[in-house]
Amino acid sequence: MEKELADSMMSCLDELSKVLSRRRELLSKKGACEDYYFYYDLAAIDEEETKALNKLNELGQTGNTAE
């Protein structure tokens, strides 16, 4: 059970890392905010980040109740 929980948490952290890299890449593009799709892309990244954080939080709560 602990290994599965740890694996799931690492998966969430990997997903967060990817999302943050995408955000950094998007924000670093010169003139990106002038692009029509910039805000849609940013909103999609925010949504992915929120999902990953919520899942990580749920896993943390599951881990605390398992102890």
Side-chain angles (χ1 to χ4, degrees):
M1 173 81 174
E2 288 179 14
K3 181 168 177 14
E4 292 171 1
L5 183 61
D7 288 345
S8 294
M9 286 182 159
M10 287 304 296
S11 176
C12 286
L13 291 172
D14 287 342
E15 185 64 31
L16 275 172
S17 175
K18 290 175 189 175
V19 168
L20 293 174
S21 292
R22 286 182 50 213
R23 179 191 308 275
R24 185 173 46 249
E25 181 182 320
L26 181 65
L27 294 174
S28 70
K29 290 181 182 176
K30 190 170 194 151
C33 62
E34 297 169 6
D35 181 7
Y36 177 77
Y37 294 103
F38 172 79
Y39 296 102
Y40 292 106
D41 292 341
L42 196 57
I45 290 170
D46 286 345
E47 187 174 329
E48 289 176 32
E49 181 181 14
T50 300
K51 285 180 184 178
L53 287 171
N54 287 340
K55 185 173 181 182
L56 189 60
N57 188 35
E58 289 172 14
L59 290 169
Q61 290 174 355
T62 301
N64 287 338
T65 58
E67 291 177 358

